[in-house]
Amino acid sequence: MSEALLTASEWARMMREPLRAKRYQLTGLGPAVTDFLAWKKLDGAAARTLDQYERDLSRACILFPEKTLETLTSEN
């Protein structure tokens, strides 16, 4: 019998973690969102909060792919 590639706990953790497209990171706003999420994580934000922030902000990135933080206004 060959050796297992993953332990049962590793496999279970992989199955629990959501697989999310990260294509928003390739947009003009993507780097700002990534930096914001990293800052909030260091600030102690809860995992669920970070997850929701990422979901909400990634929608803005996809809606306005050509915008950057400097060119985004409330009128968009």
Side-chain angles (χ1 to χ4, degrees):
M1 185 171 202
S2 64
E3 191 174 320
L5 298 176
L6 295 173
T7 66
S9 63
E10 290 171 330
W11 182 84
R13 184 172 22 96
M14 282 177 40
M15 293 299 108
R16 280 194 309 268
E17 292 176 359
L19 182 61
R20 181 172 299 120
K22 301 287 185 179
R23 72 175 191 239
Y24 74 86
Q25 294 174 339
L26 302 175
T27 67
L29 291 170
V33 170
T34 301
D35 290 347
F36 175 76
L37 293 171
W39 173 68
K40 290 304 286 182
K41 185 175 184 176
L42 287 174
D43 198 37
R48 287 186 69 157
T49 300
L50 291 170
D51 180 63
Q52 194 59 54
Y53 282 168
E54 184 176 22
R55 290 171 189 266
D56 293 341
L57 293 170
S58 69
R59 287 186 195 107
C61 291
I62 300 305
L63 285 172
F64 306 108
E66 73 288 345
K67 295 290 185 181
T68 63
L69 197 55
E70 293 78 22
T71 62
L72 188 66
T73 67
S74 61
E75 296 169 2
N76 297 19

